[in-house]
Amino acid sequence: MDTKKTELKITGMTCAACSGRVERVLQKMPGVVEANVNLALEKATVTYNPKEVTIIDLIQKVRDLGYNIILNHLELRIKGMTCAACSSRVEKKLNRTDGIVKAAVNLATEKAVIEYNGESIVPQEIEKVIADLGYRPEAIQEDGVIDREKEERKRESRRQLYLFVFAAVMNIPIMLAMYATHFGGAMPSHMTYQSKLLQFILATPVQIIAGYQFYRGAYKALKNGSANMDVLVALGTTAAYLYSVATTFFIPGDVYYDAATMILALIILGKMLESIAKGRTSEAIKKLMGLQAKTARVIRDGQELDIPVEEVAAGDLVLVRPGEKIPVDGQVEEGFSAVDESMLTGESIPVEKKPGDSVIGATINKNGVIRFRATKVGKDSALFQIIRLVEEAQGSKAPIQRLADQVAGVFVPVVIVIAALTFLGWYLITGDFTKALMTMTAVLVIACPCSLGLATPTAIMVGTGKGAENGILIKGGEHLEKAYSINTVVLDKTGTITKGEPEVTDILPMAHLDEEELLRLAATAEKGSEHPLGAAIVRKGEGLALGNPDSFAAIPGQGIKVTYQGKEILVGTTKLMQENGVGIEKITQEKEALESAGKTAMLVAVDEILAGIIAVADTVKESSAQAIQELKKMGIEVVMITGDNQRTAQFIAQQVGVDRVLAEVLPQGKSEEVEKLRKEGKVVAMVGDGINDAPALAAADLGIAIGTGTDVAMEAADVTLMSGDLKGVATAIRLSKRTMRTIKQNLVWAFIYNIIGIPVAALGYLVPVFAAAAMAFSSVSVVTNSLLLKRVNLKK
C-alpha cells in the first residue's frame, strides 16, 4: 500500500483531552494508517492512503471537531489564459491536486489565489502543475507557515490580553461592592440589593464575553462526545454565576460574582502566558528556517544574475564571495575558501573547501571566492532535510507519554464525578448549599489536564531543538528516551574512530619486483574497488601508468581478485592468499611488524606468487580519545568493532582507550555482534558511518550515524551527528538524560499537582479564586521548566 505522510497545524486545542480526541477521531477515519497529535506543537502528523482519504478530508474532520487548521496562502499571476475555459481548466486542476485545499482563478485579473497545506506541497510544485497545462505562473505573494503561525500566536496572545484586562478591570468594582456588602456592617436591604444588582450588571458581560471561548469549546467537546478543560471552566464559573443570579433576584443568600469573574480573568491570564511560553519552545525551527539565504548569484550564459534562492535549479553554476551565505548545496568547481558550518554542525572551526568538495546551503563563505555547481535545491537541500527531521522529531511522542495520555483521556469525566460527589457530600453533611457549591467550583477549576498534556511534548520540543543547535539530529521522542538508558556504545573503527582516509605508509616488494611496479599492479587492481584501503592505494598510484582490469571481484572481508593482461592479481588478507594457494611464509615477520605498528598490511600476489606487501594506515581523529574517555566517565562501556585483524585493531584501541575489541568482523557480522551484546542484557548504541554499518545501526537499540558518512547510514540511524565529531555521542546521551529528567519533573509536578490539588479543594481548603490561580499557572510552570533545557551546557 502506497501511503503518504502529512502534517496539519491545528489551533484551538486547550488541553490533552482535545489533542487526544482529535487523535482518536483521525485514527478511526478510513484510509488513515496512523495519527499522532502533539498538544505543545499544536500539530497532527498523519500517515494515510491517498486512494481512500484526502488531505481535504482530514482538514474537514478536524474542523468538524471544532478546531481550525493553519494553511499557507499563495497568489500567482497566470499568463497565457485567453478565455473562461482556460481559467476554469486551471482552477479544476488545482482543486484536484493533493495538498491544495482551495483554489480560485480569476480570468480578468489573471490571478490565482490558493490555500494549501505546505507540508504536502510547495509553491514550486503548484507552479509546475500550472506550467504543465501550458500557462506561465509568476509568484505574487506567499506567506510561509511559520509566519502564519507566528501571526496567529500573536493575534491569540493579544486577544487573551484584551480579555484578561477587560475581566480584571470589571472585577475591581465587583470586588469593592462585594467587600462593602460583606464587611461594611449592617446595610439596608435596598442597598444590599443595589450592590447585588451592580455586581450582576458588571459580571454578566464578563461571563458572556470573556467566558464565550470556554462555552464554545465546551459545546464543541460535548457535541463530539468528549470533555476537556473548557467543560470544567464553563461548569465552575457558570455554577457560581447562576447561583449569584438566583440570590440577586429570586432567593436570599450571598452572591459570588467576584469568584466567577476572577476565575475567568486568572485562567485567561494563564492561557496567555502559556501561549507565549509555547511559542518559545519552537524557536529552534524558526532559527533553522531563518538561516536560508534569500538570494543567489548564478552564472547563466556567461552573465552573473542575482535571483531568489527558490529559483536556483540543480546544475546552476553559483558564485559566492567572501562573507556571503552559500545559498544551496553543491560541489565546488573553482576556488579555495574556508566555510563556517557551525550553524548546522555546531563546530566553530571553519572547514577548508577546494574543487571537488561539497558545500552546504546556509553556511557562510569566510575568505575566498568559490564557484560551485548546485546539486540539491529546495526540499532536497540539507537544510530542508534537517528542518523536516527536527519537525518530525518534535511532533513525535515518547513512550513515557503514554501514561499521561491514558490519564488525560478520562481525566475530565473523573473530575466532574468528583466535583458532583463533593457537592453532594458537603450538602448532605453540612446542609450548607453555598459551601457545597463553592467547594464543587473549586474542584472543577483546580483540575488541570493541560499540565499532563504539555509535560512530555514541550520537553521533547526543546530537547530536539537544543540538539539541532549542537549538530545532533534526533529522529523522534522515542529515540531521545532510549538514549537515556544506553550503557554500551559500539564504535565502528573506520570513519568513526579514525578519519576514514587511510594512506599508504609502506611498500615492501619481493625480489622480482620494484616498489613502483608493485604499486602500479596493486593500484590497477584496486581501480574498481570502493573500499577506503583500496582507494588509498589508487591515490598513491596516481601518476603511474595504471591500466584497466579485465575482470574484478570483491570478496567481502578478504580483498579483491582481478585479471589484468592475462595475469591474476590478488590484493587482500592472509585468508585470501591461503584460499588461493599463495604461500606467505617468507614475509610473515614483516607483516606482523607492520600490524604491530597499527598498520593494515595488504598482501599482493600475481599468478599465485606473492609479490609483496603494501601497508596502509588510517589515522585516529583528534577528538576520538577524549570522546571515549567522556563516555567511560559516564559509566558507559565502549566497544570497538572492525573488519581489521586483531593486532591492528588492538593498536588503535590502545591509542584511544577502548578496552573491548571485536576484530575481523565481516560487514554482515556487525549486526550479529550487536545482537549478541543485546542478549547479554546491554542497552546498545551503535555508531557508524558506512553503508556496511546500516544493518548494525538498525539492529542496535539506538543507531547513531556520523553525519560525514553515507546517506544510507544516516537513513538507518536514529541519531545523526552532523559534525562527524565522536564527542557528539556523549553530548547526545547527556541531552537525553537532561531531557528525560525534565520530562519526569514535569510529569511528577503535573500528577502531584492534581493528586494533591483536587482532594485539597474537595475538603474545602481552597476558595475557587485560589484554585483558579493554581490551575492557570500549573501548565505555565511545566512549559517554563521545559524551557530551562535551553540553558543546559551539554559539553559537561
Side-chain angles (χ1 to χ4, degrees):
M1 179 176 67
D2 292 330
T3 61
K4 288 187 176 182
K5 181 184 280 190
T6 191
E7 292 174 351
L8 304 172
K9 291 297 299 183
I10 303 174
T11 61
M13 296 190 297
T14 57
C15 66
C18 298
S19 57
R21 182 169 73 258
V22 176
E23 185 171 283
R24 286 192 299 274
V25 170
L26 287 174
Q27 283 177 338
K28 289 177 182 176
M29 289 182 70
V32 172
V33 179
E34 184 182 6
N36 176 22
V37 180
N38 187 305
L39 173 64
L41 270 179
E42 298 179 320
K43 180 170 72 176
T45 304
V46 185
T47 304
Y48 66 100
N49 181 356
K51 293 179 181 177
E52 296 183 53
V53 66
T54 66
I55 287 176
I56 296 174
D57 296 331
L58 299 174
I59 290 171
Q60 192 55 51
K61 180 61 72 173
V62 173
R63 286 175 170 167
D64 288 345
L65 290 172
Y67 306 103
N68 197 18
I69 301 289
I70 297 178
L71 298 170
N72 296 67
H73 181 83
L74 177 67
E75 291 184 16
L76 294 173
R77 185 86 62 196
I78 302 177
K79 300 290 186 182
M81 296 190 300
T82 57
C83 64
C86 295
S87 58
S88 176
R89 182 181 174 215
V90 174
E91 185 171 291
K92 286 179 181 177
K93 180 66 176 176
L94 289 173
N95 280 312
R96 285 198 299 265
T97 301
D98 193 32
I100 293 179
V101 178
K102 184 180 179 183
V105 180
N106 188 309
L107 175 64
T109 60
E110 295 185 321
K111 185 193 290 186
V113 179
I114 302 160
E115 271 192 310
Y116 68 98
N117 181 31
E119 305 298 335
S120 306
I121 193 169
V122 296
Q124 291 89 335
E125 292 170 326
I126 295 173
E127 290 178 23
K128 187 176 185 300
V129 169
I130 297 169
D132 288 346
L133 292 174
Y135 305 104
R136 301 186 305 279
E138 295 176 1
I140 301 173
Q141 172 196 343
E142 182 207 350
D143 55 358
V145 69
I146 287 289
D147 291 333
R148 294 288 295 276
E149 285 178 50
K150 188 176 179 181
E151 285 306 311
E152 183 73 23
R153 200 178 290 280
K154 276 185 179 177
R155 260 198 310 274
E156 178 62 18
S157 295
R158 277 197 301 268
R159 192 173 73 86
Q160 298 295 351
L161 176 61
Y162 296 152
L163 287 172
F164 166 70
V165 171
F166 167 69
V169 168
M170 295 290 277
N171 193 64
I172 293 171
I174 293 174
M175 293 286 287
L176 292 174
M178 184 271 293
Y179 277 113
T181 303
H182 284 283
F183 304 109
M187 296 179 68
S189 59
H190 71 278
M191 289 185 65
T192 302
Y193 173 72
Q194 288 172 357
S195 174
K196 288 182 178 180
L197 188 61
L198 174 63
Q199 291 180 62
F200 166 76
I201 293 169
L202 293 168
T204 300
V206 176
Q207 197 69 33
I208 294 171
I209 297 171
Y212 173 73
Q213 59 183 319
F214 300 107
Y215 287 120
R216 183 186 58 189
Y219 167 74
K220 288 177 179 176
L222 294 171
K223 180 185 172 185
N224 289 286
S226 182
N228 60 4
M229 184 198 81
D230 293 328
V231 174
L232 297 178
V233 176
L235 280 174
T237 58
T238 302
Y241 174 77
L242 290 180
Y243 176 72
S244 300
V245 171
T247 57
T248 300
F249 298 105
F250 308 110
I251 60 175
D254 295 327
V255 294
Y256 293 92
Y257 292 115
D258 61 309
T261 54
M262 185 58 81
I263 287 169
L264 288 172
L266 289 171
I267 291 174
I268 289 170
L269 176 62
K271 283 173 69 74
M272 183 186 72
L273 295 175
E274 180 190 321
S275 176
I276 293 168
K278 281 200 297 187
R280 291 182 58 206
T281 60
S282 58
E283 282 177 359
I285 289 286
K286 293 167 188 171
K287 282 183 183 176
L288 285 171
M289 287 194 154
L291 291 176
Q292 188 177 30
K294 300 296 184 287
T295 60
R297 187 176 294 108
V298 299
I299 301 172
R300 292 177 180 170
D301 300 324
Q303 289 187 317
E304 291 183 16
L305 302 172
D306 286 332
I307 62 174
V309 71
E310 293 82 11
E311 295 180 15
V312 178
D316 275 340
L317 187 63
V318 184
L319 172 68
V320 185
R321 296 192 174 100
E324 294 180 341
K325 274 187 181 180
I326 293 172
V328 296
D329 299 358
Q331 189 171 46
V332 178
E333 291 196 354
E334 294 179 48
F336 296 86
S337 186
V339 174
D340 179 1
E341 297 181 345
S342 60
M343 62 287 297
L344 297 181
T345 66
E347 291 297 315
S348 58
I349 301 173
V351 181
E352 291 186 0
K353 300 293 180 181
K354 60 184 183 303
D357 289 341
S358 296
V359 290
I360 305 172
T363 56
I364 299 173
N365 182 33
K366 297 294 284 185
N367 53 21
V369 177
I370 56 172
R371 288 178 174 82
F372 70 89
R373 190 70 61 180
T375 54
K376 292 181 180 180
V377 299
K379 292 175 74 173
D380 296 325
S381 69
L383 178 63
F384 191 91
Q385 295 302 320
I386 290 168
I387 290 169
R388 292 290 303 136
L389 198 61
V390 176
E391 282 182 332
E392 287 178 10
Q394 292 190 339
S396 66
K397 284 188 178 180
I400 197 172
Q401 193 174 341
R402 289 175 190 151
L403 175 62
D405 286 347
Q406 289 170 355
V407 172
V410 297
F411 185 87
V412 175
V414 168
V415 170
I416 292 172
V417 170
I418 292 172
L421 292 174
T422 298
F423 175 82
L424 286 173
W426 275 94
Y427 185 67
L428 292 174
I429 293 169
T430 67
D432 187 340
F433 181 86
T434 302
K435 178 65 176 176
L437 182 69
M438 288 299 102
T439 307
M440 180 191 75
T441 301
V443 171
L444 288 170
V445 297
I446 196 171
C448 186
C450 300
S451 55
L452 283 171
L454 293 170
T456 302
T458 52
I460 294 291
M461 286 171 66
V462 179
T464 51
K466 179 79 173 176
E469 289 173 7
N470 286 271
I472 301 167
L473 303 182
I474 301 164
K475 282 189 177 177
E478 67 273 23
H479 307 308
L480 192 61
E481 181 174 339
K482 179 61 74 175
Y484 169 78
S485 53
I486 293 298
N487 56 31
T488 303
V489 172
V490 179
L491 303 173
D492 178 56
K493 180 184 80 72
T494 306
T496 303
I497 292 177
T498 63
K499 292 180 179 177
E501 294 183 358
E503 296 178 352
V504 173
T505 57
D506 301 87
I507 303 174
L508 303 178
M510 298 298 282
H512 61 286
L513 289 178
D514 59 18
E515 286 189 17
E516 186 175 300
E517 181 61 14
L518 176 62
L519 178 61
R520 190 184 72 82
L521 289 172
T524 295
E526 292 283 6
K527 276 183 75 173
S529 173
E530 294 181 356
H531 196 283
L533 301 181
I537 292 173
V538 174
R539 282 197 302 273
K540 185 70 173 178
E542 287 176 0
L544 301 177
L546 303 184
N548 293 304
D550 302 312
S551 69
F552 177 92
I555 304 166
Q558 295 186 30
I560 60 168
K561 179 190 288 188
V562 305
T563 55
Y564 171 62
Q565 293 182 345
K567 299 175 182 178
E568 182 183 81
I569 303 174
L570 300 173
V571 183
T573 63
T574 299
K575 188 176 182 181
L576 178 68
M577 300 300 153
Q578 289 172 342
E579 290 187 358
N580 286 274
V582 178
I584 61 170
E585 296 79 11
K586 296 179 183 178
I587 209 161
T588 301
Q589 192 172 347
E590 289 88 341
K591 178 177 177 293
E592 290 179 354
L594 290 168
E595 289 175 348
S596 297
K599 300 172 183 178
T600 300
M602 301 174 70
L603 303 175
V604 183
V606 179
D607 290 334
E608 298 183 1
I609 298 173
L610 188 67
I613 301 177
I614 296 179
V616 178
D618 184 8
T619 54
V620 172
K621 290 180 181 176
E622 291 80 359
S623 61
S624 291
Q626 183 184 344
I628 289 166
Q629 195 59 36
E630 284 184 26
L631 289 169
K632 291 168 80 171
K633 281 181 181 176
M634 295 167 70
I636 295 171
E637 180 185 5
V638 182
V639 180
M640 186 179 83
I641 193 166
T642 179
D644 286 351
N645 63 71
Q646 186 71 40
R647 191 179 283 112
T648 302
Q650 205 65 51
F651 182 83
I652 297 292
Q654 288 171 359
Q655 278 187 284
V656 295
V658 174
D659 299 323
R660 185 172 177 181
V661 177
L662 302 174
E664 299 178 32
V665 180
L666 297 177
Q668 61 269 29
K670 288 182 179 180
S671 59
E672 294 171 11
E673 293 295 336
V674 168
E675 289 289 358
K676 285 180 187 176
L677 289 169
R678 293 184 68 197
K679 285 175 182 176
E680 292 175 20
K682 300 180 186 300
V683 184
V684 181
M686 170 70 195
V687 187
D689 78 323
I691 291 173
N692 59 14
D693 296 325
L697 290 169
D701 293 291
L702 187 75
I704 302 177
I706 299 293
T708 49
T710 64
D711 290 341
V712 177
M714 292 168 69
E715 188 65 32
D718 307 311
V719 177
T720 300
L721 308 179
M722 289 297 294
S723 68
D725 189 336
L726 205 53
K727 286 188 288 187
V729 177
T731 305
I733 294 173
R734 275 194 213 99
L735 174 63
S736 169
K737 290 182 182 294
R738 299 292 175 86
T739 305
M740 287 304 298
R741 187 166 71 187
T742 298
I743 289 172
K744 288 176 180 178
Q745 288 170 349
N746 287 349
L747 286 172
V748 167
W749 161 249
F751 277 112
I752 287 179
Y753 163 82
N754 285 293
I755 289 168
I756 293 176
I758 293 171
V760 167
L763 291 171
Y765 293 115
L766 272 179
V767 296
V769 170
F770 290 151
M775 186 270 200
F777 289 97
S778 62
S779 53
V780 177
S781 63
V782 164
V783 180
T784 303
N785 189 46
S786 295
L787 287 171
L788 292 176
L789 269 172
K790 289 186 173 187
R791 300 182 182 180
V792 169
N793 181 2
L794 296 178
K795 302 301 180 184
K796 57 182 180 180

